[in-house]
Amino acid sequence: MKKNIFITLIALLGCAVAVSAQGRSGLKLNEVMVVNESNAIDDFGERHGWIELFNSNHAPMEISSVFITDDPANPKKYPVPLGDVNTRIPKRQHVIFWADGRPSRGTFHLNFILKPDQDNWIGVYDANGITLIDSVTVPASLQAGMSYARSIDGTGEWQVRNDEGENYITPSSNNIIRAQNDKIQMFKERDENGFALTLMAMSIVFSALLILCLCFLAISKISERFARANKMAAHGVTEESAPSHSTDSDSGEVIAAIGLALRDHFEAHDQESTILTINKVRRSYSPWSSKIYGLRQNPRS
């Protein structure tokens, strides 16, 4: 009964994880440009306002059938079509939708445009058209050629970007462009010869090996206990009536004797004598086997 309950709990946990993995809560509005004067161009060579979505999950996400809208009263304004392979966003990657009001141009062309000099509310709804996944209000003060983006991909505060200083406009790219890895730089400054890194790596390896040894030892002990219990059950012996000495294995002398006997048995014909003995074949004479009785005799003259 307990085993069945445990299996049921595991199955329910697996279902919950699967449902969570299929959820779209990790889909985030990441960057928006209302008036595009000299930034990215679409697949028709034209410049329009754009909306960047970011998959903040560490697994691919299929965004077909979600809704993108600029009107909270019409959450199903633009449904992302089914059947486009490009609607599957890889983990921690971006996708751009062009706000050009021309949905006939393809999957990533919205049926509305962003309006300059006024607030633009943008929302992303799940497939049911009710659940709001993410939303943002782009301020009317956003000037042409500027974007409204998160400070960190998928999270952080929204900020105005204008390609000056470190605030780059980054369509289909990370909002923070890093030329170097901070951790690597820290190791270079504090551990020039690499001794600490070597010691850390060796410690991790040996710790993993120690954990594996302990796991194998624990498994062997558990297996030994189960084997002893099964052997005692087969012989009708209980823990109380079991002798004090170990009964789950034979002694070393018995094992050695059995091994020696098996070796003599299997290797009995492996070594052949190099002396050849040729014996003369002797047959006992029988008149019934004599050839003279099978010959025809000449008649007397």
Side-chain angles (χ1 to χ4, degrees), residues 75-123:
K76 297 183 179 181
K77 190 168 186 177
Y78 180 75
V80 179
L82 297 169
D84 193 330
V85 295
N86 295 319
T87 56
R88 181 177 175 85
I89 309 178
K91 62 179 182 179
R92 309 292 297 176
Q93 294 299 317
H94 314 72
V95 65
I96 283 184
F97 285 86
W98 302 97
D100 55 0
R102 299 178 181 177
S104 60
R105 286 191 168 186
T107 301
F108 299 97
H109 292 262
L110 302 173
N111 57 359
F112 60 87
I113 60 175
L114 300 177
K115 305 172 183 63
D117 300 325
Q118 67 180 59
D119 292 344
N120 286 271
W121 182 88
I122 302 170

Side-chain angles (χ1 to χ4, degrees), residues 98-221:
W98 302 97
D100 55 0
R102 299 178 181 177
S104 60
R105 286 191 168 186
T107 301
F108 299 97
H109 292 262
L110 302 173
N111 57 359
F112 60 87
I113 60 175
L114 300 177
K115 305 172 183 63
D117 300 325
Q118 67 180 59
D119 292 344
N120 286 271
W121 182 88
I122 302 170
V124 179
Y125 284 84
D126 207 344
N128 57 13
I130 300 174
T131 304
L132 179 62
I133 299 175
D134 195 16
S135 65
V136 64
T137 299
V138 182
S141 59
L142 188 68
Q143 299 179 9
M146 295 184 180
S147 71
Y148 196 57
R150 293 181 185 269
S151 57
I152 302 174
D153 289 301
T155 185
E157 298 293 332
W158 287 85
Q159 58 185 210
V160 177
R161 298 193 168 210
N162 54 9
D163 278 344
E164 295 181 1
E166 296 182 355
N167 292 328
Y168 296 104
I169 299 175
T170 56
S172 295
S173 182
N174 294 333
N175 288 355
I176 297 179
I177 299 177
R178 297 179 180 178
Q180 60 187 9
N181 192 313
D182 296 337
K183 294 182 180 179
I184 294 178
Q185 288 300 119
M186 181 190 67
F187 270 107
K188 284 184 178 180
E189 295 174 359
R190 300 184 180 181
D191 185 28
E192 296 180 357
N193 298 319
F195 293 119
L197 183 61
T198 303
L199 182 62
M200 184 184 303
M202 294 180 66
S203 301
I204 294 173
V205 171
F206 284 111
S207 299
L209 291 175
L210 179 60
I211 293 173
L212 284 175
C213 290
L214 294 176
C215 290
F216 287 136
L217 180 61
I219 292 172
S220 65
K221 293 294 184 183

Side-chain angles (χ1 to χ4, degrees), residues 224-245:
E224 182 180 355
R225 180 173 298 179
F226 276 107
R228 186 173 186 273
N230 292 334
K231 188 173 182 180
M232 293 175 62
H235 290 83
V237 181
T238 61
E239 290 288 346
E240 293 78 9
S241 60
S244 58
H245 61 277

Side-chain angles (χ1 to χ4, degrees), residues 18-66:
V19 171
S20 176
Q22 295 297 323
R24 290 168 172 157
S25 60
L27 184 62
K28 301 295 182 181
L29 288 162
N30 203 52
E31 190 171 4
V32 179
M33 176 172 279
V34 177
V35 180
N36 181 6
E37 292 183 340
S38 60
N39 199 256
I41 59 176
D42 63 8
D43 43 350
F44 288 86
E46 299 178 359
R47 290 187 172 90
H48 300 281
W50 47 265
I51 299 170
E52 181 187 72
L53 301 182
F54 176 67
N55 176 16
S56 62
N57 294 334
H58 292 274
M61 179 189 298
E62 175 59 52
I63 64 169
S64 58
S65 74
V66 303

